[in-house]
């Protein structure tokens, strides 16, 4: 049996043609195309097409209208549950029983529906009455349709912010949610099950939830007597500065670079404060940990851009899920074509063979103690 690696770090589990994070160069390419070239040039729905189909056309088109039933106020949980239900509502076939073309069309329908469901869940979480789903059809891009269905209006600055964020976060290799999507796909499940399972992986704060923790840090730093003093005190206490360092990149996260530029261009309200904190934090991290590359990552500037779009922290994970439908869908199709169940091994390190009486005696001793 091969050597054990906690968290499977460094273990090659799949071969993929979808995305290439450049560890040393600080670049991210979707099927060979740098995201710097995509952002602003193509709307997210065409980027979805590049990742899934290898071509921007036809991309992600509008899904049949779907209504969110019984929202709970937890936007991501509502999205996950409603997405899982689409398999039954639409009678989706199992991946093992349908063609690649059918699977691609199912993934497109579910992906587009997830954007609509996110808008409805966000609206419900704000206590707003439901809107006619058909009203979103007025939008010319998916980001605009999201905002129309969520708020009834689409500010161009918010549209640009969300579209840039979606393009930056559409795909990033075999992260936790994408690996989840591939595992479920390997069982032959339907496409809604694959994407809803992936969305569930975002409910933990270590994947997709970090932007919600950046803004409180930024506000605390801004309110402190000095930003430098806040950073030094936080590091002295052993606290983690949210938005710095990445397990993949050994240089600046290219998504952070792109979103920093977006924040500046749209006039994000917290842009100047974010730059001040970023400069101080990077200098302190370089001084304290010169042997490690702790550059700005995507979460830091995602928080600033989404804040400029008026996205509450509780909605951010669901918006991340909307963007990652592109990568998840591409990986589901890629996994379907391998036709092999993902089944890694586990190394047993528990007790050796022993009788039941040993357990019973141990339980008695513990209760007596």
């Amino acid at each position: 049996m091969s050597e054990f690696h906690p968290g499977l770090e460094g273990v090659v589990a799949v071969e993929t043609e979808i995305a290439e994070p450049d560890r040393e160069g600080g670049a991210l390419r979707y099927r060979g195309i740098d995201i710097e070239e995509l952002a602003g040039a193509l709307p997210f729905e065409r980027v979805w097409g590049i990742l899934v189909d290898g071509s921007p056309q036809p991309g992600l088109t509008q899904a049949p209208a779907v209504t969110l039933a019984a929202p709970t106020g937890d936007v991501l949980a509502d999205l996950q549950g409603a997405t899982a239900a689409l398999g039954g509502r639409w009678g989706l076939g199992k991946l093992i029983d349908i063609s690649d073309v059918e699977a691609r069309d199912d993934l497109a329908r579910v992906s587009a529906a997830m954007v609509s469901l996110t808008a409805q869940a966000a609206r419900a979480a704000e206590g707003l009455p439901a809107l006619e789903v058909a009203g979103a059809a007025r939008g010319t891009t998916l980001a605009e349709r999201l905002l129309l269905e969520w708020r009834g209006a689409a500010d161009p600055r918010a549209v640009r912010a969300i579209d840039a964020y979606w393009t930056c976060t559409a795909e990033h290799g075999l992260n936790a949610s994408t690996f989840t999507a591939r595992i479920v796909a390997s069982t032959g499940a339907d496409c809604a099950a694959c994407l809803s399972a992936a969305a569930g992986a975002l409910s933990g704060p270590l994947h997709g939830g970090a932007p919600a923790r950046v803004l409180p840090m930024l506000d605390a730093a801004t309110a402190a007597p000095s930003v430098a003093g806040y950073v030094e005190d936080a590091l002295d206490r052993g606290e983690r500065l949210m938005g710095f360092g990445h397990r993949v990149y050994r240089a600046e996260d290219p998504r952070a670079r792109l979103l920093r530029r977006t924040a500046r261009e749209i006039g994000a309200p917290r842009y100047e404060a974010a730059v001040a904190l970023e400069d101080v934090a990077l200098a302190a991290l370089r001084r304290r940990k010169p042997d490690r590359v702790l550059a700005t990552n995507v979460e830091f500037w995602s928080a600033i851009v989404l804040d400029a779009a008026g996205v509450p922290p509780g909605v951010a994970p669901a918006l991340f899920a909307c963007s990652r439908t592109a990568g998840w869908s591409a990986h589901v199709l890629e996994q379907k074509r391998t036709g092999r169940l993902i089944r890694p091994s586990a190394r047993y390190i528990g007790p050796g063979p022993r009788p039941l009486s040993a357990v019973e005696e141990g339980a008695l001793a513990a209760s007596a103690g």
Side-chain angles (χ1 to χ4, degrees):
M1 187 175 291
S2 61
E3 183 182 351
F4 170 60
H5 296 267
L8 300 181
E9 186 167 5
V11 176
V12 177
V14 303
E15 290 185 334
T16 182
E17 299 178 352
I18 300 168
E20 180 189 11
D22 185 338
R23 292 170 62 90
E24 305 302 329
L28 174 60
R29 291 179 283 273
Y30 297 162
R31 296 196 184 275
I33 305 171
D34 197 300
I35 61 169
E36 293 272 2
E37 188 175 351
L38 292 171
L42 292 177
F44 167 74
E45 54 267 31
R46 303 303 178 197
V47 175
W48 191 98
I50 287 175
L51 284 165
V52 176
D53 303 320
S55 169
Q57 300 291 346
L60 184 58
T61 53
Q62 195 162 358
V66 58
T67 302
L68 177 69
T72 67
D74 184 323
V75 179
L76 183 61
D78 287 342
L79 174 63
Q80 183 187 3
T83 300
L86 293 177
R89 291 175 68 173
W90 290 348
L92 300 182
K94 305 297 185 183
L95 283 168
I96 200 169
D97 297 325
I98 61 178
S99 70
D100 289 358
V101 172
E102 290 174 300
R104 185 268 176 211
D105 289 345
D106 284 352
L107 288 163
R109 282 200 293 163
V110 174
S111 295
M114 288 177 72
V115 175
S116 175
L117 290 168
T118 294
Q120 295 175 62
R123 189 170 178 82
E126 295 174 359
L128 300 173
L131 287 176
E132 285 292 330
V133 174
R138 300 193 308 273
T140 57
T141 68
L142 200 61
E144 189 174 0
R145 290 200 292 271
L146 167 90
L147 289 168
L148 286 170
E149 193 168 350
W150 176 5
R151 297 172 177 157
D155 178 78
R157 186 176 72 167
V159 170
R160 183 177 176 187
I162 290 172
D163 193 77
Y165 169 73
W166 277 352
T167 293
C168 287
T169 56
E171 160 62 5
H172 202 248
L174 204 62
N175 49 74
S177 59
T178 300
F179 193 33
T180 299
R182 288 194 75 129
I183 291 171
V184 177
S186 79
T187 71
D190 67 61
C191 293
C194 296
L195 299 195
S196 65
L202 299 181
S203 60
L206 296 183
H207 179 43
R213 302 182 175 219
V214 170
L215 293 183
M217 177 186 70
L218 179 60
D219 289 342
T222 304
S226 77
V227 174
Y230 170 85
V231 169
E232 295 297 339
D233 289 346
L235 293 175
D236 286 342
R237 293 191 301 268
E239 295 179 6
R240 179 183 176 188
L241 297 180
M242 302 305 298
F244 298 93
H246 199 281
R247 284 182 64 173
V248 172
Y249 295 110
R250 298 297 175 264
E252 182 182 43
D253 187 330
R255 301 167 297 175
R257 184 169 59 245
L258 198 156
L259 289 174
R260 183 192 299 110
R261 184 172 70 237
T262 299
R264 183 185 70 248
E265 291 173 351
I266 65 174
R270 283 182 160 100
Y271 174 76
E272 298 295 340
V275 169
L277 175 58
E278 181 184 37
D279 289 345
V280 170
L282 290 175
L285 291 170
R286 281 193 297 266
R287 186 176 63 256
R288 289 176 178 242
K289 300 180 181 181
D291 56 328
R292 295 180 59 190
V293 178
L294 293 171
T296 314
N297 64 37
V298 66
E299 281 84 7
F300 187 86
W301 284 103
S302 290
I304 309 307
V305 168
L306 292 178
D307 175 67
V311 177
V315 180
L319 277 194
F320 182 50
C322 291
S323 74
R324 197 50 66 87
T325 58
W328 293 341
S329 297
H331 278 273
V332 166
L333 285 175
E334 196 172 67
Q335 185 62 43
K336 181 181 187 298
R337 292 168 187 139
T338 69
R340 188 169 180 83
L341 178 69
I342 295 176
R343 178 64 166 84
S345 298
R347 178 179 297 157
Y348 177 71
I349 58 171
R354 56 182 177 155
L356 175 60
S357 60
V359 181
E360 293 172 335
E361 292 167 1
L364 289 172
S367 62

